[in-house]
Amino acid sequence: MNRRDFAALLAGGLASAPAFAESLGSIARASVRMAPRVDGARLNRHLTELSRFGANPQGGVTRLAYSDADRQAREYVMGLMRDAALTPEIDAAGNIFAARPGRDRSRKPILFGSHIDSVPEGGNYDGNVGSMAAIEVAQSLGEQGIVTRHPLQVVIWQNEEGGLYGSRAVSGQLTAEELQNVSRSGKTIADGIAFLGGDPQRLASARRAKGDIAGYLELHIEQGGTLDRDHVDIGIVEGIVGIKQWEVTVTGFANHAGTTPMDERHDALLAAARFVDAVNKTVTSIPGRQVGTVGRMQAFPGAPNVIPGEVVCTLELRDLDAAKIDSLYASIAAKATRIGGDTGTTFSFRPLHENVPAPSDPRVRSLIADAARELGLSTRVMPSGAGHDAQAMAMIGPMGMIFVPSVGGISHAPKELSRPADITNGANVLMGALLRLDEVGWA
Ligand code: GLV
Ligand code: MN
Ligand code: MN
């Protein structure tokens, strides 16, 4: 009997006393079986406290990976972990892991968590919601005396925004060359890892092989507007897009902007402008949800009276299907060659970084759906257009992701917002899915 039936019974004037007694019995049984819940007020308070680190005057945070704000926020997070009776440790890749023992020592750990680094002028929810919720779930389990069969590990990944560096180190996808990439804080990845307390020389010790984990769960904000618009409580992620990024260099010839006739120029910025348009036209020329972006561009030498001799820009392509990304890239590169021929310039592409597309595990999806159903929450199965550490974890074990609505679909911006009640719902679904995964346990 649910609450509505009970109300109907009361409204019906308690016509039958035995039926009423039976109803009370079933309510009592139902409350005994009631799903464990997190402390939503505490969770949302922790989120507010976390938003102090790297706070911007106009709202939101700039908490770039390897910045002072990042390191201070991680100290705060490790304090919360200790309050939750967890023991945080930093692995060689700079990720924070906090373990909670399980009953069965032969079981592989279930990992759950997210990231707390941000983009420049980012919001207070991207990554932070899943990170605070993971700690809250562990704390609530402890307070409610629940000991799982599997050992649990709450994880806070380092440098998600720069390209899943912490999680890709664990999945073994991070290459030695990438350690020399310069992060947005100005430090190389290797220096950044050391700055956070990791050891880039011992990166291999952070690696985990396929089958080393019983599963990975991550709660995150949707970052798009569909759940909010359609009043759906919970998104169940079916897969996470693959992302490929390149640095594109257009080489022309710098010359005097007053004396060089228009038909004698090798204008790298003119070629780059046509390139931006070609990217947009190529990506929109076929049906599907693929996206392509030129997100950064710099012209050299960069003076009003000099024809640009060189442009350095980026190209990013995303789709759930890696083959589609590759074929879009091939046609964009062919168009770039033609633009080069027309403008007297040349294009070169240097791969920057890749996140492989990752489907979530259908079994984990159905555990998330069951957890949401038990809580009376509506759900929708949906793809993720944003990258997540979960896609690296999908390489080594069954992965599932839970989305909560982003108000107005705004993300990577100070106005990013998820409502406290939605965040609490998401954390309760995370807890329910975790306990179900623990019960069925495939490793
Ligand atoms: C990560 O937030 C990304 O999708 O770029
Ligand atoms: Mn994120
Ligand atoms: Mn992000």
Side-chain angles (χ1 to χ4, degrees), residues 98-382:
R100 184 164 192 271
R103 293 195 306 273
D104 183 346
R105 283 176 184 278
S106 69
R107 298 254 158 201
K108 299 283 168 51
I110 299 175
L111 272 53
F112 56 117
S114 193
H115 66 98
I116 60 164
D117 64 306
S118 83
V119 293
E121 298 180 17
N124 292 326
Y125 299 86
D126 176 0
N128 301 324
V129 165
S131 299
M132 295 300 94
I135 297 171
E136 175 57 41
V137 165
Q139 184 157 11
S140 293
L141 290 176
E143 288 167 350
Q144 292 167 44
I146 300 170
V147 181
T148 50
R149 281 197 307 160
H150 296 75
L152 303 181
Q153 294 186 0
V154 174
V155 54
I156 308 298
W157 302 109
Q158 64 94 353
N159 199 356
E160 188 270 354
E161 295 292 0
L164 314 183
Y165 280 96
S167 53
R168 287 191 305 116
V170 169
S171 64
Q173 296 162 280
L174 185 65
T175 64
E177 299 80 67
E178 284 181 282
L179 289 177
Q180 295 318 312
N181 287 353
V182 179
S183 71
R184 291 174 188 148
S185 70
K187 295 184 184 66
T188 63
I189 303 299
D191 289 348
I193 288 174
F195 177 77
L196 297 183
D199 181 353
Q201 307 298 324
R202 291 181 42 252
L203 222 49
S205 70
R207 273 186 72 160
R208 304 201 191 188
K210 195 170 171 62
D212 276 356
I213 65 172
Y216 176 76
L217 293 171
E218 181 166 350
L219 171 67
H220 205 281
I221 59 169
E222 179 194 349
Q223 304 185 274
T226 66
L227 296 177
D228 184 43
R229 188 193 58 218
D230 300 339
H231 305 291
V232 178
D233 300 312
I234 295 291
I236 303 172
V237 175
E238 59 182 325
I240 307 172
V241 290
I243 305 177
K244 275 194 177 182
Q245 293 175 345
W246 294 262
E247 183 180 80
V248 184
T249 302
V250 191
T251 308
F253 189 83
N255 210 339
H256 198 293
T259 60
T260 315
M262 296 306 280
D263 61 350
E264 288 179 24
R265 297 179 174 213
H266 302 270
D267 185 338
L269 189 51
L270 174 66
R274 291 187 186 170
F275 174 72
V276 174
D277 189 47
V279 169
N280 186 277
K281 288 207 167 83
T282 309
V283 171
T284 53
S285 66
I286 49 173
R289 302 177 65 124
Q290 66 280 353
V291 289
T293 307
V294 177
R296 192 175 66 211
M297 181 177 286
Q298 218 179 347
F300 299 96
N305 55 354
V306 183
I307 299 160
E310 185 179 87
V311 166
V312 180
C313 62
T314 55
L315 167 64
E316 184 191 86
L317 297 171
R318 300 188 180 210
D319 194 69
L320 277 177
D321 176 3
K324 194 188 242 183
I325 293 178
D326 289 341
S327 91
L328 285 170
Y329 173 68
S331 62
I332 288 169
K335 282 189 189 164
T337 305
R338 280 204 294 281
I339 293 168
D342 293 345
T343 54
T345 61
T346 55
F347 281 75
S348 65
F349 293 80
R350 183 170 75 85
L352 280 181
H353 135 89
E354 175 175 11
N355 296 351
V356 292
S360 58
D361 189 299
R363 300 168 301 178
V364 182
R365 290 208 286 268
S366 77
L367 298 179
I368 294 170
D370 290 346
R373 193 175 312 113
E374 183 177 39
L375 294 161
L377 300 171
S378 55
T379 58
R380 166 180 294 169
V381 175
M382 59 185 298

